[in-house]
Amino acid sequence: MISPSLFLPCAIFLTPVLRALAQSQSFAWDRLTPSENLEWVPCHSTYQCARLLVPLDYSDPSVGNAALAVIRFQANVSKADYGGPILFNPGGPGGSGVETLIPRGPEFHLVLGNQYDIVSWDPRGVSFSTPIASFFETDAERALWNAASFPTSLNASDDAIPHAWGRAHIEGQLAAQRDTTQIMKYMTTDNVARDMLRITQKLGFEKLQYYGVSYGSFLGAMFAAMFPDKVERILIDGVVDANAWLNANLTIAATDTDAALQTFFDGCAAAGPDLCAFYKPTAPEIAERLTSLTDAVRREPIPAITSQGYGLVDYSLLRMVIFNALYTPYVSFPPLAEALAALENGNGTSLYLMLQDVPFQCDCADDTVPFTANGAEAAIAIQCGDAAPVEDSIGQFTEFYQNAAKTSQFVEFFVGQNRVSCTGWEVYRNDTFKGPVAAANTSFPLLLVTNTADPVTPKAGALKMAARFPGSGLLTQDSPGHTSNVAPSLCTAFYFRQYFQNGTLPEPGTVCSVDATLFGASSNLTSRMPSPTTEEEQVLEALKIIGAVVKPVIAGKFWRT
Ligand SMILES: *[C@@H]1O[C@H](CO)[C@@H](O)[C@H](O)[C@H]1NC(C)=O
Ligand SMILES: *[C@@H]1O[C@H](CO)[C@@H](O)[C@H](O)[C@H]1NC(C)=O
Ligand SMILES: *[C@@H]1O[C@H](CO)[C@@H](O)[C@H](O)[C@H]1NC(C)=O
Ligand SMILES: *[C@@H]1O[C@H](CO)[C@@H](O)[C@H](O)[C@H]1NC(C)=O
Ligand SMILES: *[C@@H]1O[C@H](CO)[C@@H](O)[C@H](O)[C@H]1NC(C)=O
Ligand SMILES: *[C@@H]1O[C@H](CO)[C@@H](O)[C@H](O)[C@H]1NC(C)=O
Ligand SMILES: *[C@@H]1O[C@H](CO)[C@@H](O)[C@H](O)[C@H]1NC(C)=O
Ligand SMILES: *[C@@H]1O[C@H](CO)[C@@H](O)[C@H](O)[C@H]1NC(C)=O
């Protein structure tokens, strides 16, 4: 299983997150008694934790309950200025809201305003919420399966697609056999939206204030469609096309993937050889250099033995590292360029370490702990359960894949793997909310945010969703990467605050530039911001720390949005 922390792009972000992981493991969620109300106890020094009981099936309480792990970072203002709770979802699906919020409460305050309680939670079936979704009976069983099915590019070999399809059927059957708690049956996004309403009500509010990124955008849109009169604020960033999601056909998601890759070539050429180790004088030459390297690695994979593990840098691993870097270009492009240059010289260490598999350690005492990391299983259960059943044969899936490959050269991971996972899925309900994920008349307009070259949630998807919520605002950030968070922008942060604090939407057509450059190249940034104020500097730092939320892969095989 791949440790999510290894996907964090930069050492300065690593520290708080590792601390958070250690802290979340040290807090004994299982000692809290789940309650029908939010009974907060102090946790992680400056946070509060509670376990909230919610019905698995809102229309049939006899099915049983889930206990949601909920966490709060409280407002820091006088009562008169209090702005209520903002619920946050980090995406995935299957991302842990608890682990995301723990080190970042102060940063959320800096960006959104400290008059808000920042509230997050592990969605039903995920992480510290119980029961958990799991295909496996022990962590060792999960680790063995994940190691054996370490993701390959669907373009790695002739049997890559048949294998992926076959493995999805094993996972689907395991899930169906082992869903004794029925959590996987009930963890679809419509129920997560119902949970958001319940949390809001238990906090004493009627309407939702919400900030969701990536998959969290689909959750926000579902809420708005299901409860249009319960919207106080919904800001969604990295917007998923709901129709694509509900059809397990994310082809549209690849619309801007190649444009994101192009920014690597353009940025490297502009930055020069000192800042970009994979430099050539023009972008086409850099593209050509990468193609040659990829072809060479396909013919002759490079063994990498490092102090932190060992393996082959082969076609799949190289492609995956490149694709993943597109999520977080501002921090990932410089080390990617260095790793590519080293690989050219036959040294695969750095590239391997960009996607390293943490050796599994059998801590047998852990098997008795009810909470475990199950991001990939949760993601598959949610995404495939949300969608209409996918009954593709291998041949039909191959056709789907080849059609998607017309949109981008990178469909072998996110677009391809996520659909193929659903071909084997068996756990469906017949009463899920089927849409349309749209509302003519939400009680407050939504704010949608999109980047100009997002590798998995392109502007095309945001435009479709904006059309489904007439009156909503659309803010464009002029940057590559997945969600606006991955590039600090005071302009974007300003519109976030305007929306939450004053209810103001950006003018149609508003485009924010970012306060960062690819490869750290010099630019007109300094002339635009001659001397940022202390507050502006704090906000920029906070944005970087929140941006480190974005991680492409869950447990090695499922690509997040
Ligand atoms: C806000 O937080 C600061 C620093 O932790 C603290 O000194 C201050 O008393 C807090 N203010 C309120 C109104 O809670
Ligand atoms: C698969 O890889 C080959 C060789 O690298 C490349 O020419 C082709 O475009 C790729 N096909 C797909 C569908 O990604
Ligand atoms: C998936 O969506 C794309 C457009 O985004 C479409 O061309 C394709 O036919 C769809 N595939 C299936 C199997 O529905
Ligand atoms: C390969 O690269 C790593 C990381 O930069 C370095 O520590 C190591 O010494 C290199 N190995 C060789 C054989 O040059
Ligand atoms: C839906 O599922 C329930 C139980 O899972 C079943 O009783 C009911 O007949 C199903 N309805 C339809 C229309 O299939
Ligand atoms: C939209 O909301 C307004 C004001 O709340 C209400 O008067 C109107 O009937 C609503 N329209 C629809 C189509 O629900
Ligand atoms: C909100 O509006 C008030 C009053 O017009 C203004 O003083 C404040 O700066 C605005 N806040 C933001 C974040 O724009
Ligand atoms: C800086 O701004 C000037 C004038 O607006 C423009 O001509 C120039 O291309 C910009 N330079 C960069 C590196 O963006």
Side-chain angles (χ1 to χ4, degrees):
M1 190 160 57
I2 290 191
S3 156
S5 61
L6 285 178
F7 289 96
L8 295 175
C10 174
I12 60 162
F13 300 148
L14 211 62
T15 316
V17 170
L18 285 179
R19 195 173 61 230
L21 286 175
Q23 283 173 340
S24 55
Q25 278 151 13
S26 71
F27 180 72
W29 283 93
D30 52 344
R31 299 242 184 93
L32 286 188
T33 307
S35 163
E36 304 268 348
N37 294 305
L38 286 165
E39 291 172 6
W40 299 107
V41 301
C43 61
H44 306 293
S45 68
T46 52
Y47 295 79
Q48 296 172 319
C49 293
R51 291 180 74 196
L52 180 66
L53 285 172
V54 293
L56 281 175
D57 183 340
Y58 276 84
S59 61
D60 182 2
S62 74
V63 178
N65 290 319
L68 304 180
V70 189
I71 187 161
R72 171 166 81 173
F73 188 73
Q74 275 192 288
N76 177 258
V77 291
S78 66
K79 213 169 180 180
D81 295 329
Y82 178 55
I86 295 177
L87 271 61
F88 174 75
N89 177 278
S96 165
V98 169
E99 286 186 355
T100 304
L101 185 56
I102 290 166
R104 301 190 178 87
E107 284 76 22
F108 276 95
H109 270 175
L110 277 166
V111 174
L112 301 176
N114 66 352
Q115 61 269 57
Y116 301 107
D117 291 329
I118 309 297
V119 177
S120 197
W121 77 106
D122 288 349
R124 47 175 61 209
V126 172
S127 255
F128 297 109
S129 290
T130 55
I132 63 152
S134 179
F135 305 169
F136 307 105
E137 285 169 358
T138 64
D139 290 344
E141 187 193 344
R142 174 183 298 110
L144 284 170
W145 173 256
N146 284 344
S149 59
F150 191 76
T152 50
S153 158
L154 294 175
N155 191 28
S157 61
D158 286 346
D159 65 359
I161 282 179
H163 269 243
W165 187 93
R167 287 183 186 285
H169 281 71
I170 294 179
E171 291 185 351
Q173 287 172 32
L174 282 179
Q177 281 172 22
R178 293 177 171 183
D179 193 21
T180 50
T181 62
Q182 296 201 80
I183 183 65
M184 288 192 256
K185 184 170 171 189
Y186 288 103
M187 66 195 290
T188 49
T189 302
D190 51 354
N191 280 334
V192 183
R194 294 182 178 105
D195 291 344
M196 290 212 291
L197 183 59
R198 180 62 61 93
I199 293 170
T200 301
Q201 289 167 340
K202 292 292 175 182
L203 286 164
F205 290 78
E206 250 183 57
K207 293 182 184 171
L208 174 75
Q209 299 190 112
Y210 174 73
Y211 170 27
V213 296
S214 197
Y215 158 80
S217 72
F218 177 68
L219 173 57
M222 281 286 270
F223 183 96
M226 293 169 69
F227 308 109
D229 58 334
K230 297 278 187 281
V231 178
E232 187 71 44
R233 298 283 188 278
I234 290 184
L235 188 162
I236 56 180
D237 186 348
V239 180
V240 172
D241 173 22
N243 253 13
W245 188 265
L246 293 174
N247 289 307
N249 177 357
L250 296 167
T251 304
I252 187 179
T255 305
D256 290 342
T257 316
D258 292 355
L261 180 62
Q262 186 63 37
T263 68
F264 176 79
F265 305 139
D266 293 340
C268 181
D274 292 343
L275 294 172
C276 178
F278 205 62
Y279 174 80
K280 285 273 178 191
T282 66
E285 286 170 282
I286 298 168
E288 180 51 42
R289 186 174 174 182
L290 183 58
T291 302
S292 304
L293 177 60
T294 307
D295 290 346
V297 165
R298 205 201 252 283
R299 285 191 306 272
E300 192 179 331
I302 311 283
I305 297 190
T306 79
S307 57
Q308 294 166 62
Y310 50 87
L312 268 187
V313 178
D314 61 3
Y315 175 81
S316 287
L317 193 132
L318 173 59
R319 294 279 293 174
M320 210 182 313
V321 167
I322 298 166
F323 177 67
N324 290 353
L326 303 179
Y327 279 61
T328 52
Y330 291 83
V331 287
S332 297
F333 279 2
L336 174 66
E338 280 183 27
L340 292 172
L343 188 64
E344 256 179 354
N345 292 324
N347 186 339
T349 300
S350 299
L351 203 104
Y352 180 77
L353 287 174
M354 287 184 83
L355 191 74
Q356 187 233 41
D357 215 359
V358 173
F360 176 66
Q361 296 185 337
C362 180
D363 180 353
C364 298
D366 259 9
D367 287 350
T368 59
V369 177
F371 309 102
T372 178
N374 63 331
E377 290 138 79
I380 293 170
I382 295 166
Q383 186 174 336
C384 301
D386 280 348
V390 179
E391 277 149 10
D392 292 3
S393 63
I394 291 175
Q396 286 165 328
F397 175 74
T398 304
E399 218 172 280
F400 166 87
Y401 177 77
Q402 286 165 348
N403 183 54
K406 292 176 197 152
T407 302
S408 162
Q409 63 150 297
F410 266 113
V411 290
E412 69 239 63
F413 302 118
F414 177 64
V415 175
Q417 303 270 9
N418 288 25
R419 182 177 178 90
V420 84
S421 287
C422 296
T423 62
W425 194 247
E426 298 180 4
V427 182
Y428 292 103
R429 296 200 319 281
N430 56 19
D431 64 346
T432 52
F433 179 81
K434 301 283 190 314
V437 183
N441 212 6
T442 51
S443 47
F444 199 85
L446 279 59
L447 174 56
L448 284 63
V449 183
T450 183
N451 285 357
T452 43
D454 185 315
V456 286
T457 51
K459 185 166 183 176
L463 288 170
K464 285 197 164 188
M465 293 309 288
R468 289 162 162 257
F469 292 95
S472 59
L474 177 65
L475 175 65
T476 302
Q477 177 173 291
D478 184 14
S479 74
H482 180 39
T483 78
S484 75
N485 284 328
V486 298
S489 164
L490 288 174
C491 170
T492 299
F494 168 76
Y495 285 110
F496 278 29
R497 273 198 301 278
Q498 282 249 313
Y499 177 68
F500 278 110
Q501 297 180 7
N502 288 358
T504 312
L505 293 171
E507 293 291 319
T510 301
V511 178
C512 278
S513 53
V514 301
D515 299 302
T517 56
L518 291 174
F519 295 97
S522 63
S523 73
N524 287 352
L525 186 60
T526 31
S527 62
R528 213 176 60 240
M529 257 203 341
S531 51
T533 64
T534 310
E535 198 205 327
E536 283 173 338
E537 274 178 354
Q538 283 176 340
V539 170
L540 285 172
E541 266 322 295
L543 287 166
K544 287 184 194 163
I545 289 167
I546 292 175
V549 166
V550 177
K551 292 171 248 158
V553 185
I554 295 175
K557 58 160 59 153
F558 205 84
W559 271 263
R560 302 164 62 115
T561 47

